[in-house]
């Protein structure tokens, strides 16, 4: 399968590397330092599966070098989506399937605007990764991925993508209700990013602390109102039990979050740091607007109060703005 990873940072590189290992024809589109490092030494993946060096893949800087693909994954940070998709518009009509493993609230709509709705397959993922330096990524969490046609019908292309994931030993599930999965992931990501960015903690640490677990539940329940207003049901999925968190008696819901934290520790999943926090710590622009801000703006549009989400969003945006303003220029 001819596979293109557009915006191959940490997550995209992990996926592309594992796909290449099982015989997929993989091209990574990435920033120049990452591409140069891969060309010089191969792609180094560490973490969940030990240290591996993958050499049988192509890495390019210029998207124009890609002329078609059976399967395209958009993995760029959400704030860079418009520029990235503009550079890929020559692929409209030349893709078998396009999915986004991003965190933003409009990711499928943005893919449809670029490539046409017929090219888009819905997706959500909980795979975790970081990039400590160009050419080297760390696979921090072997979470699940969910894919499905946006209209819920079965399709050969979805099964082909799922089979590639299975060959690469990456957990995947085909879902007819992919819109529900996407929304539940957005709920979990928004709440997790908000608390993590304010506290600067790993995700399992957020879950383990009773006070922070309480805050996480409060955020999830505020956000769940938006799903209810849109007629989107909540469900439980591997790695994020939104239905449980939002429907149990409050204290029981808090206990369920803390239990998730304990399970992460028992499984050795103790290096998961949400991507928004990774960027904040590096003093880089974050996805706060595209993730937390999306929820805040949608809530205003639907006239649903989300005061806790909005408060944390303002704090995070303020910190980010101050950091960016203090960066040296020139």
């Amino acid at each position: 399968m001819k596979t293109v990873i557009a915006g191959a940072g940490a997550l995209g590189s992990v996926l592309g590397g594992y796909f290449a290992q099982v015989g997929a024809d993989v091209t990574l589109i990435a920033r120049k330092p990452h591409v140069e490092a891969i060309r010089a030494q191969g792609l180094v993946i560490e973490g969940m599966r030990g240290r591996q060096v993958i050499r049988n893949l192509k890495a390019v800087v210029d998207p124009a070098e890609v002329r078609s693909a059976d399967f395209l994954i958009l993995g760029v940070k959400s704030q860079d989506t418009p520029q990235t998709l503009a550079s890929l518009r020559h692929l409209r009509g030349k893709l078998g399937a396009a999915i986004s493993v991003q965190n933003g609230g409009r990711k499928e709509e943005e893919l449809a605007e670029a490539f046409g709705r017929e090219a888009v397959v819905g997706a959500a993922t909980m795979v975790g990764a970081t990039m400590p330096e160009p050419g080297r990524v760390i696979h921090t969490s072997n979470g699940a991925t969910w894919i499905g046609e946006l209209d819920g019908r079965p399709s050969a292309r979805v099964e082909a993508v799922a089979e590639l994931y299975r060959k690469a030993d990456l957990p995947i599930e085909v879902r007819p209700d992919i819109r529900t999965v996407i929304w539940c992931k957005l709920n979990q990501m928004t709440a997790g990013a908000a608390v993590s960015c304010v506290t600067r903690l790993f995700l399992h640490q957020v879950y383990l602390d009773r006070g922070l677990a309480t805050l996480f539940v409060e955020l999830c329940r505020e956000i769940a109102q938006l799903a209810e207003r849109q007629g989107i049901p909540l469900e439980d999925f591997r790695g994020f039990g939104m239905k449980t968190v939002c429907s149990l008696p409050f204290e029981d819901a808090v206990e369920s979050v803390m239990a998730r934290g304990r399970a992460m520790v028992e499984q050795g999943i103790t290096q998961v740091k949400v991507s928004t926090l990774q960027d904040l710590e590096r003093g880089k622009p974050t996805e706060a607007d595209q993730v937390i801000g999306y929820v805040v703006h949608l809530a205003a549009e639907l006239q649903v109060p989300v005061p806790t989400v909005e408060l944390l969003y303002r704090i995070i945006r303020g910190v980010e703005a101050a950091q960016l303003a203090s960066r040296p220029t020139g």
Side-chain angles (χ1 to χ4, degrees), residues 1-5 25 27 66-73 91 93-98:
M1 178 178 281
K2 189 174 182 181
T3 303
V4 173
I5 315 292
D25 178 2
T27 298
V66 176
R67 306 310 305 171
S68 65
D70 298 313
F71 175 34
L72 180 141
I73 294 179
L91 295 178
K94 300 176 182 178
L95 298 175

Side-chain angles (χ1 to χ4, degrees), residues 64-127:
E65 293 188 41
V66 176
R67 306 310 305 171
S68 65
D70 298 313
F71 175 34
L72 180 141
I73 294 179
L74 184 64
V76 70
K77 292 294 178 70
S78 295
Q79 64 268 29
D80 296 327
T81 297
Q83 180 180 354
T84 300
L85 289 180
S87 73
L88 294 167
R89 288 188 183 275
H90 63 282
L91 295 178
R92 190 180 181 108
K94 300 176 182 178
L95 298 175
I99 75 170
S100 166
V101 293
Q102 300 167 286
N103 297 318
R106 292 192 66 252
K107 58 194 187 73
E108 276 73 30
E109 286 75 11
E110 289 171 317
L111 281 179
E113 290 165 4
F115 304 127
R117 185 159 294 275
E118 68 281 358
V120 182
V121 169
T125 190
M126 294 295 286
V127 178

Side-chain angles (χ1 to χ4, degrees), residues 278-318:
Q278 292 179 41
D279 288 336
L280 194 66
E281 290 182 330
R282 293 168 182 161
K284 297 169 60 177
T286 76
E287 297 178 314
D289 282 340
Q290 291 75 25
V291 180
I292 311 171
Y294 170 80
V295 169
V296 170
H297 297 314
L298 179 61
E301 180 182 322
L302 297 176
Q303 297 184 318
V304 174
V306 289
T308 314
V309 177
E310 186 169 357
L311 173 62
L312 296 188
Y313 172 59
R314 291 181 183 278
I315 293 172
I316 294 163
R317 285 294 290 114

Side-chain angles (χ1 to χ4, degrees), residues 248-296:
L248 282 179
F250 193 89
E251 288 304 319
D252 291 343
V254 172
E255 289 294 339
S256 76
V257 173
M258 296 177 69
R260 173 61 181 160
R262 291 191 293 271
M264 291 176 72
V265 173
E266 291 169 2
Q267 297 166 27
I269 307 173
T270 57
Q271 298 300 309
V272 178
K273 186 174 287 187
V274 297
S275 58
T276 313
L277 175 55
Q278 292 179 41
D279 288 336
L280 194 66
E281 290 182 330
R282 293 168 182 161
K284 297 169 60 177
T286 76
E287 297 178 314
D289 282 340
Q290 291 75 25
V291 180
I292 311 171
Y294 170 80
V295 169
V296 170

Side-chain angles (χ1 to χ4, degrees), residues 162-179:
E163 183 58 25
L164 177 58
Y165 268 79
R166 294 184 192 111
K167 286 182 178 179
D169 198 24
L170 291 165
I172 190 162
E173 184 178 350
V174 175
R175 301 285 306 201
D177 58 346
I178 192 63
R179 291 184 182 277

